[in-house]
Amino acid sequence: MADLKPVYLVSGDDDVKIDAWRARVKKRAEDEGGQGSLETHDAGSLGPEALAADLAALTFATGTRYILVEGAETWKAAQLDPIEKALANMPPETVLVMVARGKVQPRLAKAVEKAEGEVRDYEAPNARSLGKWTMERAAEQNLKIDAEGARTLVQLVGPRQQRIAREVERLALLAYPEGQLDASQIAELAAGEATLQAYELADAIVAANQRHALAVAERLISQGESPGRLLYSVVRRLREVHRAAELLDAGVTENDAAGKLGMPGWLAKRIISAAKKAGRQALEDAICAFAKLEIDLRGGGLRADFSLDEETALSLAIVRACGGIEKRSAAAA
């Protein structure tokens, strides 16, 4: 916004870019006029006619007047006559920024362009392009990550742009002054400690390491994690390894299987290695054991006819799962 236009129309569903516009407008207004100098309105309560009247009103304020209107997507085409006329005669030293979620009326966009304003439409990235989008956000924070690192971050924090953007900002601070992270470093830094330990528990179960699995579960519970919350990470990892086992049993090569798993290469290799040792049927039995436990724990507590407490029930499921994987692995050997 170095060279200001009289009016801006910012639309789309890329929340991060639209939030950045709001922040820039607010900063510019407050840098010039002090705190509270940005006039903010909601398009639902300030329609086109009222906005046109507000633009024409005399003001005794000095300097540039900044006006931000949220929700311009709610305006209908039939309402736009007053604002079209107002935009054609914008008062001097006035900057109007209209923000719309999604699409806006084409008439409004044309009116902004005729007023020598600027129209910006920001489309949110789809699932295929989210990795590239993540790399671009990282570059804006002077953080260099590759495609595998971006996929790892998205897998850990989910597809919500704002969540990814916040995590990128945090990672950039942690990576300073080197300014670069690989996929394994991102996996370690982006996941919370409890999440990392939950996956450690899952990996111990897949490896049939009963003693270590029980020790990790006990440690997590002592830190305040409930058995019900641990189930998601455990079952997710079991399903990932089971999927790899299915591919291998179907004759898919390890390289092709890694591509089909849809995860970072380093993680795919680890999952495939675990699948080769555990076996598909043993993993199915383990998934069933934890599915049964999930049913028992569903609804925030145990069934009335279930006699074990949550911690004991989790320990029993771990023992059963590890025992089944160990038994089938030994038979296959």
Side-chain angles (χ1 to χ4, degrees), residues 49-59 65 67 82-83 86 89-91 94:
E49 185 174 358
L51 176 58
D54 185 68
L55 287 170
L58 292 176
T59 174
R65 181 187 184 195
I67 306 171
I83 194 63
N89 297 280
M90 282 288 290
T94 301

Side-chain angles (χ1 to χ4, degrees), residues 1 4 8 10 18-32 37-40 66-69 95-99:
M1 296 182 63
L4 291 176
Y8 295 86
V10 184
I18 293 175
D19 284 348
W21 260 90
R22 291 190 185 95
R24 287 198 297 271
V25 172
K26 185 174 186 293
K27 184 178 186 304
R28 180 107 182 202
E30 293 186 348
D31 284 349
E32 294 182 10
S37 57
L38 175 63
E39 300 175 33
T40 304
Y66 291 89
I67 306 171
L68 175 65
V69 178
V95 176
L96 170 64
V97 179
M98 295 178 286
V99 176

